[in-house]
Amino acid sequence: MTEKIPLAIIGCGGMGHRHLYGLAELQNAGLSPFELVGACDPNLDNANSLADQAQERLGTRPQPVKDLEALAAVGAIQAVDITTLPAHHHTVAIEAMERGWHMMCEKPMGLTARACKLMIAKAQETGRVLSVAENYRRDPINRLAKALLDAGAIGKPRLMQHVTMGGGDGMLISVWRHQKNASGVLLDVGTHFADIMEYYLGEAETAYAQTRLHEKTRKNPVAGTDGTGGNSPAGIYGRWQKDMPAEFAATADDAAYATILFKSGAVAQYVEDHAAHGEHLWKRSIHGHLGSLDLPGDRSGQRLTLHRDGQDPIDDQALLDLVPEHRLNEATAALFGGDRLFEYNFPFPETDRKLIGVEYHELGTCIEHGRQPEVSAHEGARAVGLSYSLMESQVAGRALLVDEVCDDQVNAYQAEINEHLGL
Ligand SMILES: NC(=O)c1ccc[n+]([C@@H]2O[C@H](COP(=O)([O-])OP(=O)(O)OC[C@H]3O[C@@H](n4cnc5c(N)ncnc54)[C@H](O)[C@@H]3O)[C@@H](O)[C@H]2O)c1
């Protein structure tokens, strides 16, 4: 690609800065198709911070602006990267598409199934690229696991177990992640896991869940400190967390215990508990009719293990022998240092920016060649719908068809959020 695509980042908080680092990672590898020309946030301090850091990392300073009108005045924008709060994803995305801009949008794609439907309709109407920034599935270890599944290494998948437990009464990164009308944790984190489950097992059919709001008061240990410490992925949230309240009311459910049936016939046992005390748990495994895969935490770089009856567990190079055709794509291979990996070892912020770099690279390719991204509006909306299926199931008191939640036919839990959004 010769001409760079003029790009703006919209939403210059934690993830906006992390996306900038991802863009710089891609540029340093000589693979960036973009020129960052705008940094947009109603909080101009945040927009200026991102612009300053862009100057350092990219060598050019994007124009800091406070809204899309001002961004349009920067001129020549072709693509935007939406890293705003989830409640604004649909309004920003729809206005951006109307202005003719392609986009990558952070997960959750929209705050409700209804918001997602509006985004899908606008993408279809305008023909703009809408890529959802689902970074977990792009992890080289998840890519290897998918290749092994596709190659039949464990046979036909029967049962996936996904268990994450921890969190206690602590604030997860920010206040808004505990507020139902802003995107609670079961949506914010749950969309990642929903996407991973459908990536591995195909579309979900039904979901039955018990969901809870266990911890009605959340505590922020960083309040009033110098901003170091606390729960701060990629090490950049402390500057905002120190000014958040030390204690606040949580309104969003923080735990889900579910059984999910997939259209393939596979079943998932799913536990996502952000309010657990005591032992913290991580377990992700898939059992099939020939064996099982034990999967490490996303973005950890740790090895997965293949177990087959009567054989020693395999967690090394021998995994790659089972998938001779498996190759990571150009950007992933360049950034992670190889196109066939069974492990990697980078500090978390570096892994984080590499995966975001991979997302940017795909967006550029889709814009250049008019292709659909791997996680398009369809997949992005399904992850939102599957996440809400758990909360909707709790309200309905029965198993639900996931398609009905995705299609906004079952929406009692989301009614208050839709009303808040004016939808
Ligand atoms: N993929 C991942 O691993 C990952 C990790 C963290 C966050 N995220 C996602 O990124 C998004 C942002 O999260 P965050 O952690 O950066 O939140 P944040 O609170 O740190 O930052 C949000 C920013 O958006 C700005 N904003 C609010 N309304 C806006 C508008 N209308 N236009 C432009 N900017 C606006 C805020 O001023 C703030 O600067 C969320 O959707 C979140 O789920 C994804």
Side-chain angles (χ1 to χ4, degrees):
M1 184 177 296
T2 45
E3 292 250 320
K4 297 281 184 193
I5 302 167
L7 169 84
I9 294 178
I10 305 178
C12 304
M15 207 48 180
H17 282 71
R18 287 162 67 182
H19 276 227
L20 166 67
Y21 307 157
L23 190 60
E25 189 79 7
L26 193 63
Q27 178 168 302
N28 291 339
L31 289 172
S32 174
F34 296 107
E35 180 191 0
L36 186 66
V37 297
C40 177
D41 199 302
N43 179 336
L44 272 178
D45 285 345
N46 289 357
N48 271 300
S49 164
L50 192 139
D52 290 345
Q53 294 201 21
Q55 174 74 63
E56 277 173 36
R57 292 172 188 247
L58 300 174
T60 55
R61 192 171 195 278
Q63 180 76 35
V65 295
K66 68 176 186 358
D67 57 26
L68 270 61
E69 191 68 44
L71 191 57
V74 169
I77 304 275
Q78 283 181 32
V80 293
D81 180 15
I82 301 175
T83 47
T84 63
L85 299 173
H88 301 279
H89 286 184
H90 68 292
T91 50
V92 170
I94 287 169
E95 184 179 340
M97 285 187 266
E98 284 169 348
R99 291 181 184 277
W101 300 334
H102 300 287
M103 69 193 56
M104 177 154 80
C105 179
E106 259 302 340
K107 43 55 61 180
M109 182 173 115
L111 187 53
T112 62
R114 193 170 299 172
C116 290
K117 280 186 84 174
L118 293 172
M119 293 167 78
I120 290 173
K122 187 56 73 176
Q124 283 167 350
E125 177 195 322
T126 59
R128 299 296 87 186
V129 174
L130 196 175
S131 173
V132 179
E134 242 323 325
N135 41 353
Y136 286 21
R137 64 160 71 197
R138 299 171 201 267
D139 182 327
I141 308 305
N142 283 329
R143 294 301 202 199
L144 175 58
K146 176 78 163 102
L148 287 163
L149 282 179
D150 290 348
I154 63 163
K156 188 171 163 48
R158 293 174 174 171
L159 177 73
M160 180 166 181
Q161 288 195 73
H162 176 104
V163 178
T164 47
M165 297 190 70
D169 64 358
M171 176 178 80
L172 180 71
I173 308 176
S174 50
V175 174
W176 65 258
R177 286 177 169 84
H178 298 281
Q179 294 171 333
K180 181 176 175 181
N181 288 343
S183 166
V185 274
L186 294 183
L187 181 67
D188 187 61
V189 181
T191 44
H192 282 302
F193 299 147
D195 180 71
I196 280 286
M197 284 191 286
E198 291 212 334
Y199 177 57
Y200 282 141
L201 301 179
E203 292 195 345
E205 182 159 323
T206 62
Y208 173 75
Q210 291 287 316
T211 64
R212 297 285 185 274
L213 169 48
H214 286 308
E215 297 293 340
K216 297 187 178 63
T217 303
R218 288 273 167 175
K219 299 192 175 72
N220 168 21
V222 188
T225 69
D226 64 357
T228 54
N231 177 338
S232 180
I236 51 165
Y237 287 89
R239 59 196 264 209
W240 294 290
Q241 289 169 342
K242 67 183 173 35
D243 299 323
M244 293 175 193
E247 240 181 62
F248 58 90
T251 55
D253 287 0
D254 52 19
Y257 314 113
T259 301
I260 301 165
L261 170 67
F262 290 79
K263 293 175 184 174
S264 66
V267 174
Q269 281 191 327
Y270 184 82
V271 173
E272 182 189 352
D273 189 337
H274 298 279
H277 295 265
E279 189 185 7
H280 289 199
L281 291 181
W282 165 270
K283 175 75 179 171
R284 184 187 286 155
S285 60
I286 306 175
H287 280 71
H289 83 281
L290 297 176
S292 67
L293 285 178
D294 195 28
L295 300 163
D298 305 292
R299 301 177 291 183
S300 69
Q302 289 171 10
R303 299 179 182 194
L304 61 82
T305 307
L306 172 65
H307 298 264
R308 291 201 284 195
D309 297 341
Q311 297 178 17
D312 289 338
I314 308 174
D315 71 352
D316 56 14
Q317 188 71 32
L319 290 168
L320 296 168
D321 297 340
L322 299 170
V323 284
E325 307 293 317
H326 171 61
R327 295 281 179 286
L328 296 166
N329 68 19
E330 180 195 6
T332 313
L335 295 173
F336 282 85
D339 63 359
R340 284 167 60 75
L341 299 177
F342 61 87
E343 66 181 346
Y344 61 84
N345 185 13
F346 302 108
F348 177 77
E350 194 175 339
T351 301
D352 189 49
R353 56 185 194 252
K354 287 180 190 301
L355 290 174
I356 294 166
V358 168
E359 293 174 332
Y360 269 126
H361 189 261
E362 191 211 19
L363 177 67
T365 307
C366 290
I367 294 171
E368 190 187 12
H369 299 291
R371 275 192 217 140
Q372 274 297 309
E374 176 178 338
V375 188
S376 70
H378 174 77
E379 288 80 12
R382 281 205 59 88
V384 171
L386 177 52
S387 300
Y388 274 122
S389 295
L390 310 191
M391 295 163 263
E392 295 292 356
S393 169
Q394 166 69 37
V395 174
R398 60 182 173 86
L400 296 176
L401 288 171
V402 175
D403 284 353
E404 286 183 339
V405 181
C406 291
D407 203 32
D408 194 33
Q409 293 166 35
V410 177
N411 49 30
Y413 180 87
Q414 298 162 82
E416 174 194 326
I417 313 171
N418 279 322
E419 194 180 336
H420 178 74
L421 295 174
L423 295 178

